[in-house]
Amino acid sequence: MKREVLNYPDKKHLSPKSNPRWGKEEETEIFGQNVKLFRKGKISEDDFRRFRLQHGAYGSRLQQNYSMVRIKIPSGEITPEQLEKIAALSEAFSIGSAHVSTRQNIQLHWVQLEDVSEVMRGLVDVGLTTREACGNTIRNVMCSHFAGVCPDEQFDSTPYAKAIARFFLRNPVCQNLPRKFKINFNCCAQHGLVRIADIGLIPVKKDGINGFKIYLGGGLGAASFIGHQLEEFTSEDRLVSTCMAVVRLFDRLGNRENMARNRMRYLVNEMGWEKFQRMVFKERSSVEMTISLDTLIRYKVDSENPSIRQLSNGKKLPLINEKVDINSDPYKRWLHSNVVSQKQNGYFVVFITLGAGDITSNQLRSLAKTIRDYSGEGCARNTPNQNFAVRFVKSNDLPEFYNGLAKVGLANPGALTMTSTVGCSGTTSCNLAITNSHRLAKEIQSKFIELGLDTEDDLRDSSIKISGCPNSCGQHEIATIGFYGGASRIDGTMTPTYTMLFGGRDGEEGMLGRSVMRVPAKRVIATLIKIIEIYKQERSSNESLAMWIGKLINGVVNGKGQIKNLDDIKTALVQTISLPSPNDDPESYMDYGNDIKFSAKTARGECAA
Amino acid sequence: MCGLKYTVKEKKTKNILSRNHTLSNSQDIITSADILRTLIRRNSVRVVDVRKEDEYKKEHIKTAVSIPLATVLENDSSERIVQLLEQSGISDKTPVVVYDDTFGALAARVAWTFQYVGHSNTSLLELTFAKWKSYGFETEKKINVFPPAKHSLKENKEIYATYDEVERAKSEQNKILVDSRERLNFLSEHIPGATNLPYTMLGTADSILREPQEIKRFMENRGISIDDEVITYCGSVGTLSGLAYYALRMGGVKKIRLYSKSFKEWKKLGKPIEEFKDANFWDLSAE
Ligand code: HEM
Ligand code: SF4
C-alpha cells in the first residue's frame, strides 16, 4: 500500500479570506492559571469575575462553576474552518450545540469553568477570540449581513467594521469603561441596528468620498433609547477620531456608581443631546490634534476581495418572487422565504433558519461544507435574527444547496419572515431570566411553520422577538411583536407571563415597541394566532401586518373594522389570554420545558462587571 | 504496569498514526494503526472485535476474533471471561488489541474486563473500525478460529469499584469521583461530589484518545493529580467511564477504578443524587 493513503484528509481550505488572528495564545494560558488561582482562593471573587467577563465568559444560571463562553465574530463574518472548530469545541467542552446570538456572537453554554481556557485555546487556532465579549468593554462590532451585497448600499462597510473592531480590541482606552459599549454598522438605511447602539454607523458617500452617518447613544435594556444623529456626514478619515472621542467621553463622564444607569445612553439623556453633541465635537478636535502615528497604524482598512464583488453570472431566479402556499413544494417554499438576490447579478444570499439560534455540531460541519461548496466568498455571516447567511451562491447551485441542508435539518423555511422568532437564552442558562424565552421562540417557530405562515407575504416584514426578562437581550423592543418575561399571580398562582409590545422596528427608522398587555406564557402562541386572525379581518387591502400594527399604535386605523387602537385590541384578546382554573389545568400555569410549579429564581446577572 | 508488550522497531514518520507519546505508559494503553499492522503481519497479536457479531461477519480487521460487548456484559463473571479468552486462543502472554466502531468506549469496557481477570497485556486500537477502513488498511470477511489456549485467572480487584467504595470515596481525602457522561446528563443528576469529565473531551476525530499531554492538562485544570485515587462512572454499564478509565491512566493517574455498574445501579439502590432543576438547559440543544 502506498504511503500517501495514510495521510489524513487535508483540512486546509483555500478560503479567499485570511485568518484575522483576533485571538492570542498567551491569554488562554493566563485564563487557565487564573482559574486555578481563583479556586485556591488567591484571587478574590470580584477580581476574578471582572477578569472572567473581560475574557468573554459569563457565569451560568445559578451555577457559578459553569460559563457561557461568548465568541466574538467581528462583523459576523465566519469561515468554514472556524465553524468546524466551534463544532469540535462544543462537542468536547460544551453541550454539542452552539448558539448564534443577537449581536453576531456565537455562544457555547454550560462550559465548565475549568475548561474555558481549553475552548479559548481552540479558538486561537482558528483566529477567533472571546476577549472583551462581555464586561465593561467594547463588545463585538456588528455589521449588517448584507454589507457588500445590498442593492441599496453606497459602499461595503465590512472592512470599516473590522478595522474599528481591531482598533479597539485590547486598546487600553476601553479596558475599563463605566459599562459595556456597542458599535453597529449598517449597509444601508434599512438593514442593521444603528439606532440601538452606542455608536451606530450607516455608510454614505458625499461628493465621491466614503463616510458615515453616525448615531450615538442608542441602546436596549430595562430602559431603552434610540440614538441621535451626530452630524450630517462624517468622512471616513474622521471615523477613528470620532469613535475614539465618543469612547473617551464616555470613559471620563459615564456614571460609575449606579450600575443600572451607566450605559452611555443615560449620560446622553441626562446631559441632553445638544450638550453631548458639542462635547463630542470638542473631544474629537483634541483627539485629532494628538493622534499618534501608532494609532493610525493600528487602524487599517483592508480592502475586501474587490473581484468577487463584481461577479455576475447574469441569471435571475424568478421563483423567489413567485407566490407560494402551505402546499407548495418544500424547495419552493424555502426559496421564497430564505433566498434573496444580491446587487451582484445572478448571485444570492441564502439564509439558514435556526431555532432561536441553536445549531448542533454536526449541523455546523454540514454548514461549513456547504459554504465551501457554494459560497463564492468562502465564508458566511451570522445574523442578529440568530440565523446564518451564506452569500455569493449561484442560482444553479440552489437546488443542491437546499438538498444538502435538508438532510441535516437546516432547510426550514421562513428565515426572512415572522416565523423565524428570536429568543434570548432565558432560563436555559441566564442568571437573570424569569421565563424560558428560548424554548418559547422555538415553539412559535415550529407552530408557524406547521401553519404555513412563512408563505404569507403580508406577514413577511413583521418580526417576533422574545426576552426572558426586561433586559432586552432578545431585542424584543425592536420587534413588530415583542415579548419580555415576568411573573404574575393569576388566580392565586405564580405564573410565567410575557409583556407584549407592538410596533418596534430596526434600521435607521428604528423605533421602540409600545407595551400592550401581559400574556401568560402558555397563551402566547394562541395570542399571536388571534392577532393575525384579527389583522386579516380588519386590515385595509394590501396592508402588511407590520403596517397595520404601526397604525394601531398611533390609533389611526381607518378601515372597515372595529379595532382602531391598542385598547380595542386588548379587549379583543381578553378571551384568548385567559386561563382555566389552576386546578383544571395546572400546566397552563407552568413554563415551557417544566413540569413543576413555576417560581421565579434569579441570581446576580453579571451584566455589568 | 499492565500493557502491551512487544518489540517493534518504530519507524520515524511524521504520520500521526504513530504518535510520539511523551508519557511512558501511553503505548501500553493505545496501539497505533502502524504498530498493529506490523504485529498482524508478524502474527504476534490477537485482535478483538467487540462490535455486534453481524458486523464482524461482514468485515473486520485482518485476523480479528469476535467478542461482542454484549457477550461480555451478558455474563461478566471472571470465570466466563477467562473462558472467552481461552476460546479465542488467548493465553496469559498473548498481546491483545481491542477495537470497536463507536469512539473507543465499547472497546475500553471489554479491554478493562480482560485486565480485570488478569490479562494485563491488553490495549486499545487508536482508531475505530470505520477509520481503519477509510485508510484502506487490511480487513477480511473470514471468521477466524484459533486453537483454544490456557489462561489463568488473577482478579485485579484494584481496578474495580463497588457502590460502597464510591460511597466511601466522598469522605476520603484524595479520592476523586469522575462522571464521564455528557454535560447535560451530568447537570440533570449525578452522584454527589462527582466531577464531570465528559467522554466527548477524551478523543478527537482522528483518535479515540487525545495526546497524553492534553489529557494531563485537562486533569490539572480540574485539580486531579496523578497521585489521587480516581473512580470513574457513567450512565449504565461502564463503557463511557471505561474510556475515561484509560484516558486518565494515560494522563498518568496511578490508582484508578471503574465503577462499572455505574449510575444505573446507584439510582436503583436509591442512593442520594444531586439534581439541578433550576435551568432549562435541555432546551438549548438543537437536536
Ligand atoms: C442587566 C443585565 C443585562 C443587560 C442590560 C443586557 C442587555 C443585553 C442586550 C440589550 C442585548 C441585545 C443585543 C443588543 O445589545 O443589541 C444582549 C444580548 C445578550 N445577552 Fe444580555 N444583558 C444583560 C445580562 C445578561 C446576562 C446575565 C446574560 C447571561 C449570561 C446575558 C446574555 C445575553 C445573550 C445570550 C445575548 C444575546 C441574545 C441571544 O441571542 O441569546 N445578558 N444583552
Ligand atoms: S433578556 Fe434577561 S433573560 Fe434574556 S438573556 Fe438577557 S438578562 Fe437573560
Side-chain angles (χ1 to χ4, degrees), chain A residues 156-204:
Chain A
D156 182 2
S157 55
T158 315
Y160 296 87
K162 284 194 199 160
I164 285 291
R166 190 171 305 111
F167 177 71
F168 282 116
L169 185 67
R170 303 188 182 85
N171 191 322
V173 72
C174 48
Q175 295 308 298
N176 186 21
L177 295 172
R179 192 74 152 76
K180 63 182 163 187
F181 196 91
K182 299 180 180 176
I183 304 179
N184 296 350
F185 283 78
N186 268 27
C187 52
C188 63
Q190 201 192 340
H191 302 130
L193 304 174
V194 279
R195 298 300 293 275
I196 55 160
D198 294 277
I199 303 181
L201 307 99
I202 304 175
V204 284

Side-chain angles (χ1 to χ4, degrees), chain A residues 58-59 68 70 99-103 107 109 142 179-180 182 184 193 196 220-222 263 265 386 423-425 429-432 471-475 605-608:
Chain A
Y58 262 114
M68 176 189 88
R70 182 176 281 168
H99 170 79
V100 175
S101 93
T102 54
R103 288 203 78 255
Q107 305 182 148
H109 288 281
M142 293 182 75
R179 192 74 152 76
K180 63 182 163 187
K182 299 180 180 176
N184 296 350
L193 304 174
I196 55 160
L220 302 180
R263 288 289 301 273
R265 58 180 186 262
Q386 301 175 320
C424 73
S425 35
S429 82
C430 170
N431 256 332
L432 295 171
N471 280 319
S472 300
C473 303
Q475 300 173 338
E606 301 191 341
C607 111

Side-chain angles (χ1 to χ4, degrees), chain A residues 1 3 5-9 11 32 35-36 61-63 66 88 91-99 109-112 114-115 117-118 121 358-360 363 425 427-429 436 438-439 442 591-594 596 601, chain B residues 11 13 15-18 34 37 126-127 131 134-138 182-184 186-187 190 195-198 200-201 203 205-207 210 214 217-218 220-223 276-287:
Chain A
M1 185 150 318
R3 198 72 197 165
V5 293
L6 301 185
N7 281 331
Y8 284 75
K11 287 264 172 59
V35 171
K36 286 180 204 152
R61 181 171 174 79
L62 303 162
Q63 281 280 3
Y66 295 90
E91 233 155 34
F93 304 107
S94 172
I95 61 167
S97 292
H99 170 79
H109 288 281
W110 297 101
V111 176
Q112 198 170 319
E114 275 67 21
D115 295 331
S117 57
E118 296 299 329
R121 186 188 298 269
D358 293 336
I359 181 164
T360 65
Q363 289 175 330
S425 35
T427 51
T428 65
S429 82
N436 191 347
H438 197 73
R439 171 76 175 268
K442 291 184 179 183
D591 201 353
Y592 282 101
N594 288 57
I596 46 170
K601 281 192 189 145
Chain B
K11 278 175 290 178
T13 157
N15 199 299
I16 28 177
L17 290 182
S18 53
D34 273 359
R37 294 175 74 204
E126 181 186 36
L127 306 176
K131 275 268 160 187
S134 74
Y135 295 131
F137 296 156
E138 300 78 357
E182 284 178 53
R183 177 62 32 81
L184 293 184
F186 177 82
L187 280 174
H190 56 256
T195 299
N196 190 205
L197 182 71
T200 52
M201 279 175 69
D206 298 321
S207 168
R210 288 180 191 253
E214 270 188 294
R217 212 174 56 228
F218 297 168
E220 280 165 7
N221 287 343
R222 282 170 167 62
F276 179 53
K277 291 190 162 167
D278 289 335
N280 302 102
F281 36 81
W282 287 103
D283 290 333
L284 278 168
S285 158
E287 291 291 350

